[in-house]
Amino acid sequence: MNTDVLIAGTGCSGLYAALNLPKDMNILMITKSDLESSDSFLAQGGICVLRDEDDYDSYFEDTMKAGHYENDSKSVEIMIRCSREVISDLISYGTSFQRNAHGELVFTREGAHSRNRIAFHEDETGKEITSHLLEAVKSLPNVTLMEYTTLLDVAEEGSRCRGAVIEKKDGTLDVVKSYFTILATGGVGGLYEHSTNFPHLTGDALGIALRHGIALRNPDYVQFHPTTFYTGEKGTRSFLISESVRGEGAKLYDGENKRFVDELLPRDKVTAAIRKKMRDQGIDHVWEDLSTIPPDELEHHFPNIVSYCKSKGYDVNKIPIPVVPAQHYFMGGIEVDHDSRTRLEGLYAVGETACNGVHGKNRLASNSLLESLVFARRAAKDIEWEWNEKRICKDDLNISPDLSKYNASYKEENKNNIKKALGL
Ligand code: SIN
């Protein structure tokens, strides 16, 4: 198979990269599951946006403080500065955000934000954004989408990535020759017993990077979301109770019905306080009371959460729900520069797969969709520049990897390497 660009992953970063690439480039997009099963579809709270120039310093400081000042400040600046343009672009693709009676965007708040600056669509912002990007990509004649297709390896020749080895739906292997490859395979939640992520998201690209000596950055920076619905079940995806419900006034209670933490501290601090309380009191979960939010706000802003809790027997207008922390997001990833380039020429990484240092040690709520989109577009623009300016030599795709090594033990070894890197 030959293509100009191979994109592994169809979450919002992969899709937005495809939409920003030149229309004269052929693009092949693969995804390990179906097109709707990316974590981008699950994002509830919203997407941050710089509301006005006066908000810049405060947004920058909130992001840095939540990240323990370990953030790459240039990445933070790029993300914030590009946010308004990205939101306008999303709206042009049909994304609808909550607006007031005057047609202006309404903003919500989450932990560690000193101001309301999160645009949202009910409690399904990720689905609203990603489904419109997916529709736009589907309409592009230069893009081919392949579901149930897994990235097994990238093919390196000289100092450049020349394509990849993939496993197709029927289990057969194929070599994709490409001038550019973008890794957008999502996070690592599938490696954890309790995670808000889809279970098939097992950090595959990280294992591949390790094989090729491409450095990972901050592989131990894993975020645990403070509040997922407690069911007591193992091996099922944890349902998120969005931080924006705390932003709108929901409160946390311990096993003795007492408040024990400022609900709007950064995520890592709220998670640590909940875990401590669970240990000290020997309880499996704490309680979250959403009844502090007016019923019409609950119904209109959080219909999905209200209905999920109802399906589990909880009327959130009347009684608190049991919540527990679960793995949620990977701040680490494949080391990339500000244009999402890895150390291997022609190979890019974007979204949760990549680490440009923007989130530091702990991501600020609702910066993930924004960061993914901003740096996916930068990858696409860098590729466009190279495509137009350097004129990639069209006849230099001669890779022929030995497919016999891609057996079960190859996959197992990849998984073990990733787990080791994450300290699991
Ligand atoms: C949430 O809605 O709490 C999750 C949003 C995020 O991960 O930033």
Side-chain angles (χ1 to χ4, degrees), residues 44-45 110 225 240 242-244 267 328 363 365-368:
Q44 292 184 353
E110 295 183 57
H225 196 287
L240 192 67
S242 176
E243 192 162 333
S244 50
R267 248 172 221 180
H328 180 59
R363 174 171 64 78
S366 287
N367 266 348
S368 56

Side-chain angles (χ1 to χ4, degrees), residues 18 109 119 121 130 211 219 241 248 298 319 331 341 389 404:
R109 185 174 177 177
H121 177 97
T130 316
R211 281 183 184 273
I241 304 297
E248 298 294 342
L298 268 177
I319 46 172
M331 276 82 57
R341 287 186 292 225
E389 296 301 319
S404 66

